[in-house]
Amino acid sequence: MVSGWFGWGFVVFVGGAVRRWWSVVLAVVLAAGVAVPAGAGVRGREIGEVVLSSGAPGELTVSWEAPGLAPFEYRVSWAREDLEFLSFQSENEAHRGNEWPSGDAASVILTGLDEGATYKVQMRARFRSVEGKVSASPWTDEVTAGVSSSPVAQQHHGQQQDLQVQGQQQGLPDEQQGSELGENEIGEVVLSSGAPGELTVSWEAPGLAPFGYRVSWAREDLEFLSFRFVDEEAHRGNEWPSGDATSVTLSGLQGGATYKVQMRARFRSVEGKVSASPWTAETTAAVLAQQQAELNRVLAPGFVRSPERDVLLQRHSTHPNPTGVWSDGVTMWIADDRNLDRAYAYELATGARDANKDISTLDDAGNDFPRGLWSDGTTIWVADAGYGQELYAYDLDTGARDAGKDINASCSAGNCDPMGLWSDGTTMWIVDWGDAKIYAYELATGNRDADKDFSTRRATGNGTPRGLWSDGLTLWVDDAYDDRIYAYDLATGNRRADLDFNTLAAAGNGDPVGLWSDGTTMWVVDHQDEKIYAYNMPVSSALKSLSISGVDFGLFQTGIFAYSGTAAAGTMSATVTAAAAFADDATVTVAWEAADGTTGTGTSVTLSEGENTITVTSSYDADGDPDTDNADVRTYTVTVTVPPAADNS
């Protein structure tokens, strides 16, 4: 038996078969005598979201989402932010301690805390087996919050200043606004956004000169980051300006999102002891979004980062392990294999959560290890890397199971570890990360189509493939360990190294999983990060959108070239609207042939009873020389059926 960590978690190789960490842990749990309800899984031992709130002076309420398995009690470990947590063997002290709520509790109130101070909390659930053995869940992430102060505690003597904070204020009662400030307290804090993705924090210095400041910032829907975390995260962090500074600019923020800021001054005594002023009131402001005209700037050369189009995930509060991704151009669905086994929905344009569109039925279906996603606009298929090696089918609009459309990956053929998915509407390709191969299946029947298989070739470095996406000509496949997206010719399987994305490592996108593109931007899921990274696509002739008035031919997707639809009986004309992904570089033409043999060109199309053919051609010549063979030409065909008009005679 050989075991080790391989990107997705702990993997055990037994007799050539792959068995993931969860089966090993589950066996240990069962051996210990812990009852595991059907469908609960190992992750049922973990506590969900932990929320801190302070509704009264000196008090902090800790609330949490209970784990799937019922514990007999919890351990809530708390401490003032500048202190270490207390051992479970020690008695509670003035500023730190442990609470032990019963297993049916969902909250506990800590009292007697320092008013105005920041406290941190972490907790775990405790379980008792039938033999009486006690075990515990992993610790939750550390969460911090400030404790409310009484009006009396907020009276400070010394230099009198007005506390006026620009923007929405939270965290101080109304009667405290405008109270006197002590000589160590920061005055007015102002937030302004003068450039896309940037937020400038300016402040009035305290009467006493500090040696530095701590500026804590976070997107509005997230908690502030603990000072113990040195590295910033995608959308929250701490800045540490020097004592003579009066402003700092935060960059790389999500355009259009609202961020919150609080700060404090830091002082050092003659003995070298460090102290801090009270936190300022929490202040919020919106960050400028990149203008659409600027977003549509010339994107050559391709493959470079485009961070203003990143999609930031609510990882800490919802899903910590994103895997596959797919979008219909409006909503982006992101699978997660750790928290609730669901596909989370986000608005593609803004990155905002759209929970109403979540596919939340994965857990009930047994789809416990979701990986790649792909949809035709009606059905969404979700790969599962568990023992079933199955692609589960769901109704995209309702999330209801549609088991009749499931596709069973063929483990007997070697496809035992299905990951990323992509289809051209006829063939479904499935990446197998253990076999370094892409397997082909007929989408309509689920039957194998081995003639369309091809290897990702370990020799070239693409030995651990996970996600894939295609524009219909080129297939891109990311790699778990090489931090690169490899390009292949879809028709032949030949390498297209000139179209590789090799900028992932420099961007910090070190654990790529899923891929999806609209033809202009390539979005890359990172399994360990909190955002979907955006990169510019290379210039091509790909269409980004296509519609025909009065004709429903399903969801248009850049990499699918053939469609069919129906118009209303008696329809005699239609208008074609088509846009290239790179409108300034590609030329789009429309030709049509009506069912009665009439032909023509242009976006105004003549139709007749029967089958009509509309052909949209998009071309891009890389060097502009018609005498050289550098043209990128793509043809999209829509067959439109016009039923006979009703006979009203």
Side-chain angles (χ1 to χ4, degrees):
M1 178 177 74
V2 181
S3 61
W5 286 98
F6 289 88
W8 289 93
F10 190 80
V11 180
V12 182
F13 295 87
V14 184
V18 179
R19 299 293 182 263
R20 290 168 188 78
W21 62 271
W22 60 268
S23 60
V24 178
V25 176
L26 183 59
V28 173
V29 172
L30 293 175
V34 178
V36 182
V42 175
R43 73 176 59 83
R45 293 166 54 89
E46 297 184 27
I47 298 170
E49 182 179 13
V50 178
V51 177
L52 305 185
S53 59
S54 184
E59 293 186 359
L60 195 62
T61 298
V62 185
S63 305
W64 58 88
E65 181 182 354
L69 297 176
F72 76 91
E73 69 176 2
Y74 297 93
R75 175 185 170 193
V76 179
S77 189
W78 58 273
R80 201 172 60 194
E81 191 178 29
D82 58 326
L83 301 174
E84 298 292 334
F85 288 113
L86 197 64
S87 165
F88 77 95
Q89 297 174 319
S90 303
E91 294 184 1
N92 286 1
E93 299 176 359
H95 307 299
R96 58 180 182 167
N98 293 286
E99 298 297 326
W100 305 87
S102 64
D104 58 357
S107 66
V108 66
I109 299 176
L110 310 177
T111 60
L113 308 183
D114 286 350
E115 297 180 13
T118 297
Y119 280 76
K120 59 186 179 181
V121 171
Q122 63 179 12
M123 61 181 296
R124 66 198 317 179
R126 288 162 50 83
F127 303 88
R128 182 178 289 118
S129 71
V130 291
E131 293 87 3
K133 296 180 180 179
V134 174
S135 62
S137 70
W139 284 108
T140 62
D141 290 336
E142 184 179 301
V143 185
T144 61
V147 176
S148 293
S149 302
S150 66
V152 174
Q154 283 294 316
Q155 300 302 318
H156 301 281
H157 300 284
Q159 182 180 0
Q160 183 173 351
Q161 304 176 34
D162 290 334
L163 179 61
Q164 298 176 340
V165 182
Q166 176 175 311
Q168 178 184 359
Q169 292 189 8
Q170 300 173 351
L172 286 178
D174 292 340
E175 63 267 24
Q176 295 178 37
Q177 306 297 332
S179 64
E180 294 183 353
L181 294 174
E183 59 184 0
N184 71 335
E185 294 185 56
I186 298 168
E188 183 180 18
V189 178
V190 177
L191 306 184
S192 60
S193 183
E198 292 186 357
L199 192 64
T200 298
V201 185
S202 305
W203 60 88
E204 183 181 351
L208 295 177
F211 76 88
Y213 296 92
R214 175 185 171 193
V215 179
S216 190
W217 58 273
R219 202 173 63 189
E220 190 178 31
D221 57 321
L222 299 173
E223 299 290 337
F224 289 110
L225 194 64
S226 167
F227 77 97
R228 297 182 183 278
F229 289 87
V230 177
D231 296 330
E232 293 179 3
E233 297 181 358
H235 40 261
R236 60 178 185 165
N238 293 287
E239 297 295 327
W240 305 87
S242 62
D244 57 358
T246 56
S247 68
V248 65
T249 298
L250 312 175
S251 59
L253 307 184
Q254 180 183 353
T258 297
Y259 282 77
K260 58 186 179 183
V261 171
Q262 62 179 13
M263 61 180 296
R264 65 197 320 179
R266 307 176 73 227
F267 302 89
R268 184 179 287 116
S269 70
V270 292
E271 295 86 8
K273 295 182 178 179
V274 175
S275 61
S277 70
W279 284 108
T280 61
E282 184 179 299
T283 312
T284 62
V287 176
L288 281 178
Q290 200 86 343
Q291 297 300 313
Q292 190 61 41
E294 187 176 351
L295 289 181
N296 293 336
R297 68 194 183 282
V298 177
L299 296 176
F303 318 113
V304 299
R305 281 278 286 129
S306 187
E308 70 275 7
R309 278 168 282 178
D310 289 351
V311 176
L312 304 181
L313 307 181
Q314 297 178 6
R315 178 180 174 188
H316 282 279
S317 59
T318 51
H319 51 109
N321 291 112
T323 54
V325 60
W326 180 83
S327 175
D328 62 0
V330 176
T331 303
M332 177 176 278
W333 284 269
I334 301 166
D336 190 279
D337 67 350
R338 182 175 177 186
N339 193 356
L340 300 180
D341 297 328
R342 70 170 62 202
Y344 293 82
Y346 291 79
E347 294 179 4
L348 181 61
T350 66
R353 278 280 283 129
D354 189 357
N356 290 330
K357 292 185 179 179
D358 284 359
I359 308 296
S360 57
T361 51
L362 276 61
D363 213 27
D364 293 338
N367 195 178
D368 294 329
F369 298 91
R371 295 295 186 257
L373 308 175
W374 186 83
S375 175
D376 60 3
T378 301
T379 303
I380 186 167
W381 285 268
V382 183
D384 191 281
Y387 285 114
Q389 295 90 35
E390 187 171 359
L391 271 61
Y392 290 77
Y394 304 84
D395 184 280
L396 182 62
D397 288 336
T398 66
R401 278 282 282 131
D402 191 355
K405 294 183 180 179
D406 287 356
I407 297 176
N408 292 315
S410 178
C411 191
S412 61
N415 193 188
C416 297
D417 293 284
M419 293 292 179
L421 310 177
W422 184 81
S423 175
D424 63 358
T426 301
T427 302
M428 176 73 82
W429 282 274
I430 306 175
V431 166
D432 191 288
W433 79 281
D435 201 28
K437 186 175 180 178
I438 299 176
Y439 291 81
Y441 298 80
E442 294 178 1
L443 181 61
T445 65
N447 295 330
R448 284 278 286 123
D449 191 356
D451 291 340
K452 294 183 180 179
D453 291 353
F454 61 89
S455 171
T456 59
R457 302 178 185 177
R458 296 183 192 276
T460 66
N462 195 190
T464 48
R466 297 201 290 194
L468 78 164
W469 182 85
S470 176
D471 63 359
L473 298 181
T474 303
L475 184 69
W476 283 274
V477 185
D478 66 23
D479 192 89
Y481 297 112
D482 203 25
D483 299 339
R484 175 189 292 258
I485 303 175
Y486 289 79
Y488 300 84
D489 184 284
L490 181 62
T492 66
N494 295 332
R495 281 279 285 124
R496 287 294 309 273
D498 57 314
L499 295 177
D500 285 359
F501 286 74
N502 57 12
T503 55
L504 276 64
N509 192 182
D511 198 3
V513 188
L515 305 176
W516 184 82
S517 175
D518 62 357
T520 301
T521 302
M522 177 72 83
W523 281 274
V524 183
V525 177
D526 193 291
H527 190 52
Q528 302 297 330
D529 212 338
E530 300 180 347
K531 62 184 173 184
I532 311 298
Y533 290 78
Y535 302 83
N536 295 333
M537 286 288 286
V539 177
S540 73
S541 66
L543 285 188
K544 188 172 185 177
S545 63
L546 174 63
S547 63
I548 303 173
S549 62
V551 179
D552 180 7
F553 57 86
L555 177 69
F556 173 79
Q557 301 192 59
T558 298
I560 298 180
F561 297 134
Y563 301 86
S564 61
T566 302
T571 301
M572 303 301 292
S573 64
T575 300
V576 177
T577 303
F582 296 89
D584 294 337
D585 300 284
T587 301
V588 178
T589 60
V590 179
W592 48 269
E593 181 177 359
D596 62 7
T598 305
T599 60
T601 59
T603 57
S604 296
V605 175
T606 297
L607 303 175
S608 61
E609 182 181 309
E611 286 193 355
N612 305 263
T613 302
I614 299 173
T615 303
V616 181
T617 302
S618 181
S619 60
Y620 163 65
D621 196 338
D623 60 9
D625 185 352
D627 295 328
T628 59
D629 188 20
N630 288 321
D632 172 8
V633 180
R634 302 170 197 234
T635 301
Y636 299 82
T637 302
V638 183
T639 301
V640 180
T641 300
V642 178
D647 185 358
N648 296 320
S649 59

